[in-house]
């Protein structure tokens, strides 16, 4: 399914608060915060020249977040950043002064953090990021997982010392349970989705995601003309689209949101012109994107900045995982989890459809930007799909930007 953004808000300036949230100054603050994170380093940007030629576009840039902060997912940028900001804000309240990130590992800040508990619901990657961020500052983490989260992903969260709470039902249900429990116990909810009255913390999570865009723009020889980003509740898509709209203005690239057909809450919201919840039917292999209600903040931003919404099927996700693992010619091998290559799957579907290609203005000069949002965060599942363990995938060539 494909739908152009017909909202009256499309291409209108972002609300002032959203523009500040995702603007250049905020992005610079995120970059400074990351200098105090262990294992913080830019992730690689790869080119896929063989695929670009096959799809008749100019260049395809892939930002590989499978190597981010030792967590294997872009989510490491959001949850950990939000935890750090909130700990420093709490310390500032107690001290009666501004507490800088350079004091993050001081005894005073450590003592403050030890009295804080952070909670969240997760499909796997966000909970891992919050747990890692809490452990890094000495705080506690309680992570709520629904029945669709795999054993390996739960084990990866528990390795950071988090308490795991199992919840029957879908991701959306686990979000509700996590928020209710946190409110009852005085914990802080670190959600990557927002709802009425709860936007500040999801905004911090989205701010953290901007860092990958900043890195990518520096790594590219020229800015992209087209961007395809996958979405669950919409946080990463909104962060990328919003930041590009603020820093590039009228020169911003054509932005397409890509979702699983079985969990297309943003597509359906765009179709109706307002946020909608879609029914949970069959589970999708794209587990990190299996969300049935959009983040209200993300939807607001995307209604202004997304140019199109589209869906991909289960086979599309599987095929792109294999295509990245076993590339042709000069293309490098990339380990992409079940949700990691969904933006690229959207590009493939768009570029091979004459109607969508024309609607998006794709041609032989197009410069495409996509994000591999996760590596093999469940190695067993990855092996079942791709046919080998992720450690066996080795880049045949490092084709950097």
């Amino acid at each position: 399914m494909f739908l152009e953004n017909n909202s009256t808000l499309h291409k209108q300036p972002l609300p002032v608060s959203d523009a500040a949230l995702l603007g250049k100054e905020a992005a610079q603050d995120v970059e400074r915060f990351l200098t105090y994170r262990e294992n913080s380093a830019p992730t690689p940007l790869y080119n896929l020249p063989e695929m670009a030629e096959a799809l008749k576009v100019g260049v395809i840039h892939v930002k590989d977040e499978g190597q981010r902060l030792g967590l294997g997912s872009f989510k490491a940028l959001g949850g950990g950043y939000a935890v750090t900001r909130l700990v420093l804000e709490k310390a500032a309240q107690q001290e009666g002064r501004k507490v800088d990130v350079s004091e993050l590992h001081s005894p005073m800040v450590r003592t403050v953090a030890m009295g804080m508990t952070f909670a969240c619901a997760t499909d796997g990657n966000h909970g891992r990021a919050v747990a890692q961020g809490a452990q890094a500052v000495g705080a506690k983490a309680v992570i709520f997982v629904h029945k669709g989260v795999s054993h390996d992903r739960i084990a990866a969260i528990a390795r950071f010392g988090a308490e795991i709470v199992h919840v029957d039902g879908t991701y959306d249900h686990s979000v509700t349970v996590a928020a209710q429990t946190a409110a009852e116990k005085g914990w802080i909810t670190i959600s990557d989705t927002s709802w009425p009255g709860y936007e500040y913390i999801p905004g911090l999570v989205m701010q953290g995601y901007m860092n990958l865009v900043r890195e990518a723009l520096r790594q590219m020889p020229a800015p992209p003309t087209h961007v395809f980003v996958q979405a669950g509740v919409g946080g990463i898509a909104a962060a990328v689209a919003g930041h590009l709209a603020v820093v590039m203005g009228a020169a911003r690239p054509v932005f397409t949101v890509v979702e699983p057909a079985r969990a297309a809450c943003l597509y359906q919201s765009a179709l109706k012109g307002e946020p909608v919840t879609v029914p949970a039917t069959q589970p999708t292999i794209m587990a990190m994107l299996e969300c049935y209600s959009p983040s209200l903040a993300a939807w607001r931003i995307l209604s202004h900045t997304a140019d199109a919404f589209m869906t991909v099927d289960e086979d599309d996700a599987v095929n792109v995982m294999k295509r990245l693992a076993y590339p042709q010619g000069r293309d490098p091998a990339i380990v992409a989890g079940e949700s990691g290559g969904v933006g690229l799957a959207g590009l493939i579907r768009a570029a091979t459809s004459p109607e969508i290609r024309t609607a998006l203005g794709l041609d032989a000069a197009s410069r495409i930007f996509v994000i591999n949002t996760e590596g093999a965060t469940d190695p067993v599942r990855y092996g079942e799909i791709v046919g080998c363990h992720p450690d066996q995938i080795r880049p045949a060539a490092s084709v950097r930007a």
Side-chain angles (χ1 to χ4, degrees):
M1 297 186 292
F2 176 82
L3 177 69
E4 293 184 78
N5 188 351
N6 295 314
S7 169
T8 57
L9 298 174
H10 182 218
K11 293 188 176 181
Q12 294 299 309
L14 284 171
V16 173
S17 59
D18 291 332
L21 177 76
L22 300 176
K24 183 177 180 180
E25 185 175 337
Q28 289 172 336
D29 286 343
V30 172
E31 288 186 309
R32 183 165 180 268
F33 267 67
L34 280 171
T35 63
Y36 292 89
R37 288 288 303 273
E38 188 177 356
N39 299 322
S40 181
T43 54
L45 184 81
Y46 294 112
N47 288 345
L48 303 180
E50 299 285 350
M51 190 180 292
E53 184 176 340
L55 295 179
K56 299 179 182 179
V57 297
V59 63
I60 300 173
H61 296 295
V62 182
K63 184 69 166 163
D64 188 7
E65 291 297 296
Q67 304 179 45
R68 179 66 70 179
L69 289 169
L71 283 194
S73 163
F74 79 97
K75 291 282 188 177
L77 290 169
Y81 173 70
V83 166
T84 301
R85 280 285 302 266
L86 292 167
V87 167
L88 293 176
E89 288 175 10
K90 181 72 171 180
Q93 290 174 0
Q94 293 193 14
E95 293 290 299
R97 64 175 177 84
K98 181 179 179 180
V99 177
D100 188 72
V101 67
S102 61
E103 302 176 66
L104 182 61
H105 301 295
S106 68
M108 180 272 294
V109 173
R110 192 81 176 180
T111 299
V112 170
M114 288 174 62
M116 301 175 73
T117 298
F118 296 96
C120 76
T122 187
D123 278 319
N125 291 339
H126 177 64
R128 201 173 174 185
V130 171
Q132 185 199 47
Q135 184 187 68
V137 297
K140 300 180 184 68
V142 181
I143 311 300
F144 293 73
V145 297
H146 61 90
K147 63 181 181 180
V149 182
S150 72
H151 172 78
D152 281 1
R153 288 192 170 103
I154 293 172
I157 296 169
R159 280 198 290 271
F160 290 103
E163 177 185 341
I164 307 296
V165 178
H166 295 267
V167 179
D168 289 333
T170 65
Y171 167 78
D172 298 77
H173 180 59
S174 68
V175 169
T176 300
V177 174
Q180 290 175 343
T181 306
E184 291 167 2
K185 294 183 176 292
W187 300 339
I188 299 171
T189 300
I190 306 288
S191 180
D192 55 358
T193 189
S194 64
W195 51 85
Y198 179 78
E199 287 200 7
Y200 177 66
I201 291 174
L204 293 180
V205 173
M206 283 196 292
Q207 272 189 341
Y209 298 157
M210 285 192 296
N211 188 73
L212 70 87
V213 192
R214 298 272 292 175
E215 287 180 4
L217 290 174
R218 285 194 290 264
Q219 291 166 323
M220 294 178 201
T225 61
H226 295 76
V227 179
F228 293 77
V229 177
Q230 52 269 60
V233 297
I236 178 63
V240 177
H243 184 62
L244 290 172
V246 173
V247 300
M248 295 182 66
R252 69 179 182 83
V254 177
F255 192 95
T256 302
V257 178
V258 186
E259 295 176 282
R262 294 179 180 178
C265 59
L266 288 162
Y267 178 94
Q268 293 298 332
S269 295
L271 192 62
K272 190 171 182 181
E274 62 183 27
V276 299
T277 297
V278 299
T281 54
Q282 290 178 283
T284 172
I285 194 173
M286 295 163 264
M288 301 302 104
L289 307 178
E290 192 171 338
C291 306
Y292 301 102
S293 299
S295 164
L296 295 188
W299 165 250
R300 184 177 63 242
I301 293 165
L302 290 170
S303 65
H304 288 75
T305 58
D307 298 294
F309 299 81
M310 67 181 297
T311 64
V312 294
D313 296 326
E314 304 300 290
D315 286 348
D316 295 319
V318 171
N319 291 339
V320 83
M321 289 175 70
K322 293 178 178 178
R323 192 163 180 174
L324 288 170
Y326 306 112
Q328 298 179 352
R330 297 167 292 162
D331 289 356
I334 298 174
V335 175
E338 303 95 296
S339 302
V342 172
L344 181 58
L347 165 64
I348 294 170
R349 175 164 282 201
T352 54
S353 164
E355 294 81 7
I356 301 177
R357 189 179 180 95
T358 298
L360 295 178
L362 289 168
D363 59 30
S366 298
R367 300 184 298 274
I368 315 298
F369 175 55
V370 299
I371 305 165
N372 176 29
T373 52
E374 65 165 356
T377 53
D378 185 339
V380 172
R381 184 67 174 133
Y382 181 89
E384 292 171 350
I385 295 169
V386 173
C388 70
H389 193 275
D391 290 345
Q392 295 176 280
I393 303 295
R394 291 287 183 267
S398 294
V399 185
R400 300 288 183 112

